[in-house]
Structure formats: structure tokens, C-alpha cells
Amino acid sequence: QVQLVESGGGLVQAGGSLRLSCAASGLSFSDYAMGWFRQAPGKEREFVGTIRWSDGRTDYADSVKGRFTISRANAKSTVYLQMNNLKFEDTGVYFCAAGLDWGRQKYNYWGQGTQVTVSS
């Protein structure tokens, strides 16, 4: 059974930083890409970034490029989303996801999400 569990969300002032974690189990990690998505109130879920577990290749949405960094810790089966210089518009529920296809859209498994609130 695949499980993705996010943690690390919270309330932070604009300009601050947070690091989200996604602990994964039940996967053959080398086959997967791990994505981060977010959903703000009243808006559709949007792609934030992704990392390919096998080689660490990353891709980011333009809105977070240069501020957010995705990394992985193989021994811990965990993916991280380091968020720096947070802006009010980064507020939302952040989800991690796992998919067999590299890209921004096709993800098979999802976590329950963690809330990030950025105060202006």
C-alpha cells in the first residue's frame, strides 16, 4: 500500500522560510517522480515542482523558481520542499504526489496535504 505523508506546514511571515517533508512508503522509489502541488482557497490545484527519484532531476513552476528547492533523502524515503522568501500568494494546502511518468501532470498517488499560511 502506497502512503505519502506530508509534514512541516505552518504559519510564517512573508519573507520567511519553511521546509515541507513527504515521507513515502510502499513504492519502488527509483521508478517514480515525486511532485509537489498546492491549492489555494477557491483556486484549482497547481503544480509547484517535481524531482525524479532516480537521478535527482528537478523541474519547477515559474512562480517558485529560484525560491523553492526540492531534494530527496534516499535513506529516509523522504522528499523535501524548501521554501524561501515566501510570499502571501504561496498560501495554500501543499500536497506531495508520486507518479511513474516524468512531468507536471500524471501522478498516481497523493498525500493528505499540509497547510502553509503566509502572512503579509
Side-chain angles (χ1 to χ4, degrees):
Q1 181 181 358
V2 176
Q3 276 195 314
L4 304 175
V5 180
E6 302 97 333
S7 60
L11 174 64
V12 63
Q13 286 188 332
S17 297
L18 278 176
R19 189 178 78 158
L20 306 184
S21 300
C22 173
S25 61
L27 298 173
S28 178
F29 300 111
S30 61
D31 294 335
Y32 280 83
M34 301 296 293
W36 284 97
F37 293 77
R38 67 187 181 190
Q39 187 166 21
K43 294 188 176 181
E44 292 186 354
R45 186 172 60 197
E46 64 174 353
F47 170 80
V48 173
T50 186
I51 186 167
R52 189 158 60 191
W53 205 288
S54 59
D55 61 6
R57 178 185 177 185
T58 55
D59 181 35
Y60 299 95
D62 288 344
S63 59
V64 306
K65 203 170 290 183
R67 299 188 298 122
F68 290 12
T69 302
I70 299 175
S71 61
R72 72 204 192 290
N74 291 342
K76 296 182 179 180
S77 302
T78 299
V79 174
Y80 302 100
L81 178 64
Q82 177 67 45
M83 304 185 293
N84 298 328
N85 190 21
L86 282 161
K87 303 177 181 180
F88 176 75
E89 51 265 37
D90 293 320
T91 294
V93 179
Y94 281 69
F95 301 88
C96 75
L100 289 169
D101 294 327
W102 170 252
R104 299 187 174 194
Q105 296 183 3
K106 295 182 180 179
Y107 288 85
N108 308 95
Y109 304 101
W110 295 84
Q112 82 288 350
T114 186
Q115 176 71 44
V116 172
T117 303
V118 183
S119 62
S120 58

